């Protein structure tokens, strides 16, 4: 079966712009989480959605937001981009919140 | 405040020998622990997990040990193979949100297995 699909794989944006990243979970998985990976901070939890509701949220500013659609696909949005937002953004899906499978990530570069 | 710590950034071992990757945590609410392996340009891949009610879990060449009193866990890989060369992340989840729903990761250890 298909894995977790993240699009796009690579993205270059300018400071001040906004960006939307997409994640398609494994079919049947209703829980989707987002993580940010940077060299200095490692993998940090952004938020988790389950059945279109945000169930958990990490310690990120309000510029980071997300949503989940009825088909469990999820989008993450970052507004007013800063240089420090350059990172690998990973999405993970799970059937009932256990055993997450990660996608390959979207590499965002802010210039 | 780093709640999950992987203090050694790298480890190099000879093929066929044992690799021991260590992880410490500070949050006593963590109830479920996982190890992930990551290759460059790929997402983390789940390796093995352990619940706090156990002190050992084994899956093939991989064994995870948990010492709750010391807030310490370790991943043993025996025998190590060159294909095991990757970054290994330790992760933890609090019991009140359900395992895996909010993972706190360590910063990772780069394992190199020499042929």
């Amino acid at each position: 079966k298909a894995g977790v699909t993240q699009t796009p794989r690579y993205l270059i944006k300018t400071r001040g712009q906004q960006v939307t990243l997409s994640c398609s979970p494994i079919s049947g998985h209703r829980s989707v989480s987002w993580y940010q990976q940077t060299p200095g901070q490692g993998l940090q939890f952004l938020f988790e959605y389950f059945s279109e509701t945000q169930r958990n949220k990490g310690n990120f500013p309000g510029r980071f937001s997300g949503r989940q659609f009825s088909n469990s696909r999820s989008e993450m949005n970052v507004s007013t981009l800063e240089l420090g937002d350059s990172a690998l953004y990973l999405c993970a899906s799970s059937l009932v919140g256990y055993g997450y499978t990660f996608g390959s990530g979207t590499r965002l570069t802010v210039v | 405040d780093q709640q999950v710590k992987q203090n050694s950034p790298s480890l190099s071992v000879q093929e066929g020998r044992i690799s021991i990757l260590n992880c410490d945590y500070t949050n006593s609410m963590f109830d479920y622990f996982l190890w992930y392996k990551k290759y460059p340009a790929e997402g983390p891949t789940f390796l093995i997990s352990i619940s706090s009610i156990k002190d050992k879990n084994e899956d093939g060449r991989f064994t995870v040990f948990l010492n709750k009193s010391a807030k310490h866990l370790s991943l043993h890989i025996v025998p190590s193979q060159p294909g095991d060369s990757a970054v290994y992340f330790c992760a933890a989840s609090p019991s009140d949100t359900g395992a895996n729903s909010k993972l706190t990761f360590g910063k990772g250890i780069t394992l190199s297995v020499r042929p």
Side-chain angles (χ1 to χ4, degrees):
Chain A
K1 60 181 177 181
V4 178
T5 304
Q6 291 189 247
T7 56
R9 286 297 307 274
Y10 302 93
L11 205 50
I12 299 176
K13 288 286 188 179
T14 306
R15 269 183 303 175
Q17 286 187 312
Q18 73 155 13
V19 67
T20 299
L21 312 181
S22 179
C23 172
S24 293
I26 291 173
S27 178
H29 285 195
R30 293 164 62 191
S31 174
V32 174
S33 290
W34 288 89
Y35 289 82
Q36 181 196 63
Q37 185 186 11
T38 58
Q41 297 298 320
L43 275 152
Q44 292 188 289
F45 175 79
L46 280 155
F47 27 65
E48 185 218 0
Y49 287 87
F50 182 82
S51 294
E52 303 178 65
T53 301
Q54 188 179 87
R55 187 160 70 170
N56 278 298
K57 189 176 189 301
N59 297 321
F60 278 80
R63 299 186 297 107
F64 292 82
S65 63
R67 59 178 175 168
Q68 186 180 35
F69 301 95
S70 58
N71 61 359
S72 293
R73 190 177 72 84
S74 178
E75 286 183 347
M76 191 193 98
N77 184 277
V78 188
S79 62
T80 320
L81 283 165
E82 300 176 359
L83 295 178
D85 297 333
S86 295
L88 179 67
Y89 289 89
L90 291 159
C91 165
S93 78
S94 172
L95 191 55
V96 289
Y98 287 74
Y100 275 109
T101 301
F102 282 84
S104 296
T106 294
R107 172 71 63 184
L108 171 65
T109 302
V110 182
V111 297
Chain B
D1 177 32
Q2 194 75 15
Q3 296 187 59
V4 177
K5 300 177 185 179
Q6 295 177 262
N7 292 321
S8 302
S10 62
L11 176 68
S12 181
V13 300
Q14 192 74 38
E15 180 179 6
R17 307 293 288 269
I18 184 172
S19 293
I20 300 176
L21 291 74
N22 293 307
C23 178
D24 297 293
Y25 62 97
T26 59
N27 189 338
S28 57
M29 291 300 294
F30 288 145
D31 194 47
Y32 194 73
F33 305 88
L34 309 93
W35 284 92
Y36 281 85
K37 173 181 174 180
K38 187 178 184 301
Y39 293 115
E42 293 183 13
T45 302
F46 171 75
L47 267 179
I48 192 168
S49 63
I50 189 166
S51 166
S52 62
I53 61 174
K54 293 186 174 182
D55 55 16
K56 176 182 174 182
N57 189 26
E58 192 171 354
D59 184 2
R61 297 186 298 114
F62 301 91
T63 303
V64 57
F65 295 92
L66 175 63
N67 183 333
K68 277 196 71 178
S69 60
K71 293 190 175 66
H72 176 84
L73 62 155
S74 61
L75 174 67
H76 293 210
I77 306 174
V78 183
S80 301
Q81 300 172 354
D84 295 330
S85 297
V87 178
Y88 288 78
F89 290 96
C90 169
S93 176
S95 57
D96 59 349
T97 59
N100 293 359
S101 62
K102 178 180 178 179
L103 297 176
T104 300
F105 282 85
K107 292 193 177 182
I109 301 172
T110 300
L111 173 65
S112 299
V113 180
R114 306 185 303 274

